[in-house]
Amino acid sequence: MPFPARMIFLLLALWGGVSSCVHNIHVVPVPDSPSSAGIPRSLQLITSAPSLEGADHRPGITLLKWPQSDLHQAILGYLQQRGTFVSVSDEPGDLTLRVATQLSLTSRRGLYHYRIVLRGEMSAGEQPINSYRVEQTVAGSSVRWVTGSDRVPIETALRLALEELTEEIEKDRPLYLQTADEAGQ
């Protein structure tokens, strides 16, 4: 590559790196409605860092950062507002819910699509009780140049996935009441 072409390439790469910024995602999903089948147990929430997958199953999503602390606060806030459990916190409870989150970004038909997969493992102490897997996909915009273009569809997909996860947990209410009875004996 001749010197002027290398210099132009280097300047373009530097400009691209300086002009682009990483979007730190902050989401606050709110339940559509309160729980209709509360479980009279306390819940400890444990989350892991979200797994981000870009196009072609590549690790990471260009220009997107979703801190584990923000994801944890989003799920914790949602569960507290939903009211499925008597209390939800980071402290040990009657039950423990471990949640792993995967966010995938794909581009189809000119739009970005954000897919959230939640895997939940419910246990009482060290005793596993049940596992859950839910998945929701939301179409975003055709560009990703402002934080809102990522935040809104990610928040929507997470809210829908949490809605489905809590509904599945609430369907298993008799299982968690039975576990409480066994613990009381």
Side-chain angles (χ1 to χ4, degrees):
M1 186 183 293
F3 178 74
R6 274 189 283 187
M7 185 58 106
I8 291 171
F9 179 76
L10 178 63
L11 289 174
L12 285 173
L14 284 173
W15 177 79
V18 171
S19 66
S20 62
C21 63
V22 173
H23 301 164
N24 284 309
I25 297 302
H26 174 72
V27 296
V28 185
V30 177
D32 288 341
S33 60
S35 172
S36 60
I39 299 169
R41 308 289 306 278
S42 61
L43 180 74
Q44 177 184 22
L45 175 67
I46 299 173
T47 59
S48 56
S51 166
L52 305 180
E53 184 179 287
D56 301 322
H57 306 288
R58 292 187 178 153
I61 297 174
T62 307
L63 304 178
L64 178 75
K65 183 178 178 188
W66 194 6
Q68 192 270 337
S69 59
D70 183 78
L71 172 63
H72 181 80
Q73 284 305 117
I75 295 172
L76 182 68
Y78 180 93
L79 292 173
Q80 288 171 338
Q81 290 179 46
R82 173 88 179 180
T84 299
F85 298 93
V86 171
S87 67
V88 180
S89 71
D90 299 328
E91 302 300 319
D94 301 323
L95 300 168
T96 301
L97 177 61
R98 288 176 174 76
V99 179
T101 305
Q102 179 184 12
L103 170 64
S104 301
L105 177 66
T106 57
S107 179
R108 296 188 311 253
R109 297 185 188 119
L111 295 176
Y112 286 101
H113 293 260
Y114 300 79
R115 182 180 67 131
I116 296 271
V117 177
L118 297 179
R119 289 181 178 83
E121 299 290 331
M122 188 73 77
S123 62
E126 297 299 314
Q127 180 67 37
I129 300 174
N130 209 350
S131 61
Y132 302 92
R133 184 189 182 283
V134 296
E135 178 180 325
Q136 292 290 330
T137 302
V138 172
S141 66
S142 59
V143 295
R144 295 185 56 233
W145 56 278
V146 294
T147 302
S149 66
D150 281 330
R151 186 189 57 77
V152 172
I154 291 171
E155 183 173 86
T156 302
L158 180 60
R159 179 184 55 78
L160 292 170
L162 287 169
E163 195 77 23
E164 186 177 346
L165 176 65
T166 53
E167 286 173 359
E168 287 189 22
I169 290 171
E170 289 165 5
K171 286 178 189 173
D172 291 336
R173 183 177 190 271
L175 178 63
Y176 299 118
L177 295 177
Q178 175 186 357
T179 305
D181 292 341
E182 290 170 2
Q185 294 177 355

